[in-house]
Amino acid sequence: MIKVSIIGTGKVGTHLIKACINSPMVQLVEIYNRSLEGLELYKGLTPTTTVLKDLKKADIYIVALPDDVIKTLDLSHLSGLIVHTAGTKSFKILNAPRRGVFYPAQSFSKEKKINFKGVPVCIETEFVGDYGVLQNFAHMIAQNVYELSEDKRQKLHLAAVFANNFSNRIMGIAYDLCKEHKIDFQILQPLLQETFLKTQILPPKVAQTGPALRNDIQTIEKHLNQLKGTDKEVYQILTKSIQEDHGIKL
Amino acid sequence: MIKVSIIGTGKVGTHLIKACINSPMVQLVEIYNRSLEGLELYKGLTPTTTVLKDLKKADIYIVALPDDVIKTLDLSHLSGLIVHTAGTKSFKILNAPRRGVFYPAQSFSKEKKINFKGVPVCIETEFVGDYGVLQNFAHMIAQNVYELSEDKRQKLHLAAVFANNFSNRIMGIAYDLCKEHKIDFQILQPLLQETFLKTQILPPKVAQTGPALRNDIQTIEKHLNQLKGTDKEVYQILTKSIQEDHGIKL
């Protein structure tokens, strides 16, 4: 059994708490949150606290808090391994003697359940001696665990912003166009599914289709005339991006 | 039985031929292609021709050819219903007496099979009397058939360019970032899957997450410093797009 405490009950913290409870190999020692409100759900289930100084002894403390809050915490009195879950920050922002990172490469929302087993976890520790402990724990709650240096983790996080945040916004523009013109967005679902499925079997460059790739200037002009503001700029820049990627002269 | 001929053996034509062969209600009368090469596959299976003037009698002729080729065809001698498969063009570009549109809202590639049954088909005819024929045929090869005016079809096509072409390019940028920094792109697959699954249950605006939404200027700056050229412009414009959509002041 490995003893784990979760610091923070936001989106990532909540998913980690569930994952720990669901693993027979993990003993969830304690849950910390700044406010009592954030602990309400867990009372009776496991010990909780709002005072960092009172934290019980654990093997690993996972700090799932906003980046700018992490650096304000004094965790120097804890002898266990302290890891944060941030994609872009060094373990050095933790004020603690034994540090590391436990970055789940997934987007969590309160509206949708997720099976933590399938979440890829990227880990790193300050001291080589701590790596095994973190790796063992990671394998107890997730199937795919990757050792990733800070530099690579930051690049992965950047790639994830494109893959998730930006592609979601792109689909949002498609959604809004349908809504504005009273077209059922469901018509596009098979196309969205196909787009996603192709990323599993083909490099996106090979899967690319459309007017930008064909350099179909007439259709591109027609599309631009139907758009305005930032949507139009998005169309222009992504058309340029596709054409540059395929060596098409503008 | 409905008699159908397919004009053109490109990506869309090939998928339509398969769909017609697989439907017990459709009789595939003939396949036309400009070159003999494009007909090689179908010899022995069904009559083929390279001469438009020789086309046999059919109830529906589906013209699956590039937009600029369609308008050059003389189909004025045919008494059947002639439809094209283009998302952005009016049926008026067809030089034929009875015209319509049969637009499959899907991205077809030679590398990946697709079940036509699941492809949403958007149809339109010049004459009300022809609508029933086209609708009946559409239901024989596809489950979801939508009546869509030219204007709505053009807006849908524009939305599809965002949903498919542009989101594919966005994933391409993520893919290239991983490749450049020797990070396994597989790490991002669960995130991509989650991004896609969310579009089925949540409007993209509700599903939005990330530094742009949080207005996390420090992370945005850090990301921009890691990007150059058009990738950097894509990051900037999509950050702006997300922030405008959520009323965040830049």
Side-chain angles (χ1 to χ4, degrees):
Chain A
M1 286 290 268
I2 194 158
K3 292 179 173 184
V4 177
S5 288
I6 308 291
I7 317 289
T9 58
K11 285 185 283 191
V12 176
T14 303
H15 281 90
L16 282 170
I17 291 166
K18 278 188 204 153
C20 287
I21 290 170
N22 288 334
S23 168
M25 305 291 284
V26 179
Q27 183 194 337
L28 185 60
V29 173
E30 196 172 20
I31 300 169
Y32 162 92
N33 199 61
R34 278 173 288 183
S35 76
L36 272 171
E37 261 185 351
L39 295 170
E40 204 61 49
L41 258 174
Y42 308 105
K43 278 187 178 166
L45 182 78
T46 189
T48 61
T49 182
T50 58
V51 185
L52 284 177
K53 280 281 169 216
D54 294 351
L55 278 171
K56 294 183 206 301
K57 200 172 156 51
D59 299 312
I60 302 174
Y61 301 82
I62 308 182
V63 183
L65 290 170
D67 300 2
D68 46 331
V69 175
I70 298 173
K71 52 187 136 186
T72 67
L73 305 181
D74 181 5
L75 303 164
S76 57
H77 59 292
L78 297 170
S79 60
L81 175 64
I82 324 276
V83 295
H84 69 60
T85 59
T88 56
K89 301 289 175 183
S90 164
F91 53 69
K92 288 176 187 160
I93 65 164
L94 289 163
N95 179 15
R98 291 168 55 206
R99 307 177 288 192
V101 176
F102 183 96
Y103 169 55
Q106 183 54 280
S107 166
F108 301 99
S109 57
K110 284 188 175 154
E111 294 86 358
K112 193 175 170 303
K113 280 187 187 177
I114 214 158
N115 183 358
F116 207 93
K117 273 274 165 216
V119 174
V121 172
C122 305
I123 59 169
E124 184 193 10
T125 54
E126 182 171 16
F127 304 115
V128 180
D130 283 332
Y131 186 77
V133 182
L134 190 57
Q135 190 185 30
N136 279 344
F137 163 67
H139 278 298
M140 287 172 189
I141 64 168
Q143 266 156 0
N144 297 305
V145 178
Y146 301 85
E147 182 174 11
L148 228 61
S149 67
E150 183 185 333
D151 183 55
K152 284 197 177 184
R153 174 164 42 83
Q154 288 190 358
K155 294 292 189 276
L156 178 70
H157 184 265
L158 176 56
V161 165
F162 281 91
N164 172 253
N165 306 159
F166 290 165
S167 67
N168 182 70
R169 176 58 196 143
I170 291 292
M171 290 185 287
I173 295 175
Y175 182 93
D176 294 345
L177 276 167
C178 287
K179 209 174 165 189
E180 186 187 341
H181 298 283
K182 299 189 172 54
I183 301 161
D184 188 351
F185 186 62
Q186 287 308 312
I187 305 180
L188 288 181
Q189 284 296 351
L191 181 65
L192 285 173
Q193 183 168 13
E194 184 68 8
T195 308
F196 159 70
L197 286 175
K198 273 190 190 159
T199 69
Q200 298 189 308
I201 55 163
L202 290 175
K205 189 169 179 170
V206 178
Q208 191 66 56
T209 59
L213 182 72
R214 293 194 308 273
N215 201 21
D216 176 351
I217 290 158
Q218 217 189 327
T219 300
I220 293 169
E221 284 298 325
K222 207 168 177 175
H223 281 165
L224 287 172
N225 288 336
Q226 295 176 72
L227 294 166
K228 51 186 190 295
T230 306
D231 290 354
K232 191 170 187 163
E233 289 181 74
V234 170
Y235 190 103
Q236 282 167 321
I237 200 73
L238 284 167
T239 295
K240 182 177 151 193
S241 178
I242 290 167
Q243 298 201 327
E244 280 180 2
D245 191 41
H246 289 267
I248 298 165
K249 284 259 159 55
L250 296 168
Chain B
M1 286 289 268
I2 194 157
K3 292 179 174 183
V4 176
S5 288
I6 308 291
I7 317 289
T9 58
K11 284 186 283 189
V12 177
T14 303
H15 281 90
L16 282 170
I17 290 165
K18 277 188 206 154
C20 288
I21 291 169
N22 289 334
S23 168
M25 306 290 286
V26 179
Q27 184 194 337
L28 185 59
V29 173
E30 197 173 19
I31 299 169
Y32 162 92
N33 199 61
R34 278 172 287 183
S35 75
L36 273 170
E37 260 186 349
L39 295 169
E40 204 62 48
L41 258 172
Y42 308 106
K43 279 187 178 166
L45 182 79
T46 189
T48 61
T49 182
T50 58
V51 185
L52 284 177
K53 281 280 169 216
D54 293 350
L55 277 171
K56 295 183 206 301
K57 200 172 154 55
D59 299 311
I60 302 174
Y61 300 82
I62 307 182
V63 182
L65 289 170
D67 301 1
D68 46 332
V69 175
I70 298 174
K71 53 187 135 185
T72 66
L73 305 182
D74 181 5
L75 304 164
S76 57
H77 60 293
L78 297 170
S79 60
L81 175 65
I82 324 277
V83 296
H84 69 58
T85 58
T88 55
K89 301 288 175 183
S90 164
F91 52 70
K92 289 176 186 158
I93 64 164
L94 288 163
N95 179 14
R98 291 168 54 205
R99 307 178 287 191
V101 176
F102 184 95
Y103 169 55
Q106 184 53 281
S107 167
F108 301 99
S109 57
K110 285 189 173 151
E111 294 86 357
K112 194 175 170 303
K113 280 188 186 176
I114 215 158
N115 182 358
F116 207 93
K117 274 274 167 215
V119 174
V121 173
C122 305
I123 58 169
E124 184 193 8
T125 54
E126 182 172 15
F127 304 115
V128 181
D130 284 332
Y131 187 76
V133 183
L134 190 58
Q135 190 185 31
N136 279 345
F137 163 67
H139 278 297
M140 288 171 189
I141 64 168
Q143 266 155 359
N144 297 306
V145 179
Y146 301 85
E147 183 175 11
L148 227 61
S149 67
E150 183 185 334
D151 183 57
K152 284 196 177 184
R153 175 165 42 82
Q154 288 190 358
K155 295 290 189 279
L156 178 70
H157 183 265
L158 176 56
V161 165
F162 281 91
N164 172 253
N165 305 160
F166 289 164
S167 67
N168 182 71
R169 176 58 195 141
I170 291 291
M171 290 186 287
I173 296 174
Y175 183 92
D176 293 345
L177 276 168
C178 287
K179 208 175 166 190
E180 184 187 342
H181 298 282
K182 298 187 173 59
I183 301 162
D184 188 351
F185 185 62
Q186 287 307 312
I187 304 180
L188 288 181
Q189 284 295 352
L191 181 64
L192 285 173
Q193 182 168 13
E194 185 68 9
T195 308
F196 159 69
L197 287 176
K198 272 190 191 160
T199 69
Q200 298 188 308
I201 54 162
L202 290 175
K205 189 168 179 169
V206 179
Q208 191 66 55
T209 59
L213 182 72
R214 293 195 307 274
N215 200 21
D216 176 351
I217 289 158
Q218 217 189 328
T219 301
I220 294 169
E221 283 299 323
K222 206 167 178 176
H223 281 165
L224 287 172
N225 288 336
Q226 295 175 75
L227 293 166
K228 50 186 190 298
T230 306
D231 290 353
K232 190 170 187 163
E233 289 180 74
V234 171
Y235 190 103
Q236 282 167 323
I237 200 73
L238 283 168
T239 295
K240 183 177 148 192
S241 178
I242 290 166
Q243 298 201 327
E244 280 179 2
D245 191 40
H246 289 267
I248 298 164
K249 284 259 159 56
L250 296 166

